[in-house]
Amino acid sequence: MSDLEQRLREEKNARLKLIVTDGVFSMDGDIAPLDKICELGDKYNALVFVDEAHATGFFGKTGRGTEEYHNIIGKVDIINSTLGKAMGGASGGYTTGPKELIDLLRQRGRPYLFSNSLPPPVVAAGIKAFDIVLNSNNLAERLRHNTKRFRDAMTKAGFTIGGSDHPICPVMLYEERLASVFADEMLGELQPHLY
């Protein structure tokens, strides 16, 4: 955070400042200190952009993501996320933000201009997934329970589990060769069940 503040201080004359971060980092489940990032954004008149691909639909008390986890709903300027993970759509995504930004993306965004639109079933699945998240936190609560159960069991078995209370649960082996052997043996256990 001190490095980010230093960079923002150095750019005091910039016409536009944008802080970009993941809400949750995919490899280790680390959670961005989004509340502190938003405070710095306010202090230095910078926009905050968060990628919520590993938070949308299942993180935060009701699955609304890192903003909800930090209790700062409405503080992030731009949110980008996917319909391909917790939201069940298998492809596609979205960006939320100021109308001017969305209009600019519609006019200049290459994927928007040069791609096919999402298939209606994907859109319908995404809308239904958002309805589920907005109307019940049962799935998010069950995922939290299962995550804790997994972390506790793995720790009890002697493994070091990285990250925090996010469902990304990295098993830390700390040696590249050991990780490779471990992955091969796990795949060997799985393969007879695939056919």
Side-chain angles (χ1 to χ4, degrees), residues 114-139:
F114 300 108
S115 294
N116 293 329
S117 60
L118 290 175
V122 171
V123 174
I127 290 169
K128 183 61 177 177
F130 276 107
D131 285 345
I132 291 169
V133 168
L134 292 172
N135 292 312
S136 171
N137 67 343
N138 291 344
L139 294 174

Side-chain angles (χ1 to χ4, degrees), residues 7-15 17 44:
R7 301 289 173 242
L8 290 166
R9 202 177 292 127
E10 289 170 2
E11 300 302 326
K12 64 182 174 193
N13 295 323
R15 185 175 64 84
K17 290 176 260 190
Y44 291 95

Side-chain angles (χ1 to χ4, degrees), residues 79-100:
I79 298 173
N80 193 64
S81 195
T82 181
L83 298 174
K85 292 181 173 61
M87 304 315 280
S91 71
Y94 62 91
T95 301
T96 66
K99 181 182 183 328
E100 297 82 8

Side-chain angles (χ1 to χ4, degrees), residues 13-185:
N13 295 323
R15 185 175 64 84
L16 179 66
K17 290 176 260 190
L18 179 66
I19 303 168
V20 179
T21 185
D22 281 4
V24 176
F25 294 88
S26 64
M27 293 302 291
D28 51 18
D30 284 346
I31 302 163
L34 197 55
D35 51 345
K36 293 177 178 63
I37 290 171
C38 286
E39 286 174 13
L40 286 178
D42 289 344
K43 182 176 179 179
Y44 291 95
N45 197 28
L47 296 171
V48 177
F49 177 114
V50 63
D51 180 337
E52 288 283 78
H54 298 97
T56 299
F58 58 89
F59 192 59
K61 186 176 180 189
T62 65
R64 287 177 174 89
T66 314
E67 265 190 318
E68 181 180 50
Y69 178 82
H70 286 293
N71 197 28
I72 57 166
I73 296 286
K75 293 284 189 178
V76 173
D77 300 291
I78 305 163
I79 298 173
N80 193 64
S81 195
T82 181
L83 298 174
K85 292 181 173 61
M87 304 315 280
S91 71
Y94 62 91
T95 301
T96 66
K99 181 182 183 328
E100 297 82 8
L101 171 70
I102 302 307
D103 288 345
L104 178 66
L105 289 175
R106 285 185 175 141
Q107 295 300 316
R108 302 284 175 96
R110 290 184 59 81
Y112 193 87
L113 293 172
F114 300 108
S115 294
N116 293 329
S117 60
L118 290 175
V122 171
V123 174
I127 290 169
K128 183 61 177 177
F130 276 107
D131 285 345
I132 291 169
V133 168
L134 292 172
N135 292 312
S136 171
N137 67 343
N138 291 344
L139 294 174
E141 196 61 46
R142 185 168 49 176
L143 180 59
R144 261 190 302 287
H145 169 79
N146 290 344
T147 299
K148 183 177 181 342
R149 182 175 172 211
F150 176 80
R151 285 178 176 277
D152 291 348
M154 290 294 284
T155 301
K156 185 176 180 183
F159 290 95
T160 300
I161 306 300
S164 57
D165 60 351
H166 189 275
I168 295 174
C169 303
V171 178
M172 308 306 289
L173 299 177
Y174 300 109
E175 293 178 31
E176 187 176 338
R177 176 76 181 122
L178 177 60
S180 178
V181 169
F182 199 86
D184 289 344
E185 296 214 6

